[in-house]
Amino acid sequence: DMSYNNLINVSRSCHKDLPNLKILELSNNRLDCEQVDIIRQLPSLTRLYLANNKISGTFPSLSSFESRALVELNISKNPELVNLIIGDDINLALETLKING
């Protein structure tokens, strides 16, 4: 759990350093879409919590996530987030998607 740490970035090599990471709790930090581009490369991710960060503009396409086992995504409370692209070729096991709030 890395929430409430005022984080502004993540390691560019996290997908190589943490290939078996399944749950990533990064809510209540200061991460932006550039950091999501790095996080989406984690191959084993099943749950990703990014609520209340500095994510703005368009969230990366869900079909661009390396992990096809992602079942939960929380990107709520990012007031500058204006768009979420699901993607045409999405093949995820997504069960819970929280985007409001």
Side-chain angles (χ1 to χ4, degrees):
D1 185 342
M2 298 291 291
S3 60
Y4 295 96
N5 278 296
N6 241 1
L7 298 174
I8 57 172
N9 60 37
V10 295
S11 168
R12 291 209 171 274
S13 63
C14 71
H15 63 286
K16 295 175 186 169
D17 299 335
L18 302 166
N20 298 315
L21 184 68
K22 299 208 180 296
I23 300 171
L24 185 55
E25 170 56 91
L26 290 169
S27 296
N28 301 291
N29 283 294
R30 298 184 320 169
L31 302 172
D32 59 23
C33 272
E34 184 177 332
Q35 304 313 306
V36 176
D37 278 337
I38 297 167
I39 294 166
R40 70 182 174 82
Q41 297 176 46
L42 289 164
S44 301
L45 205 57
T46 60
R47 299 180 190 283
L48 177 58
Y49 304 101
L50 294 169
N52 199 25
N53 273 284
K54 301 285 182 187
I55 299 170
S56 62
T58 300
F59 192 83
S61 171
L62 294 182
S63 62
S64 72
F65 275 69
E66 186 73 26
S67 174
R68 294 296 174 223
L70 190 66
V71 295
E72 186 169 3
L73 174 62
N74 185 343
I75 53 174
S76 64
K77 298 182 182 176
N78 284 284
E80 301 294 318
L81 182 63
V82 295
N83 198 7
L84 169 67
I85 299 171
I86 302 296
D88 294 336
D89 61 341
I90 191 163
N91 186 20
L92 296 176
L94 198 61
E95 296 172 1
T96 304
L97 173 62
K98 294 181 183 177
I99 55 174
N100 63 343

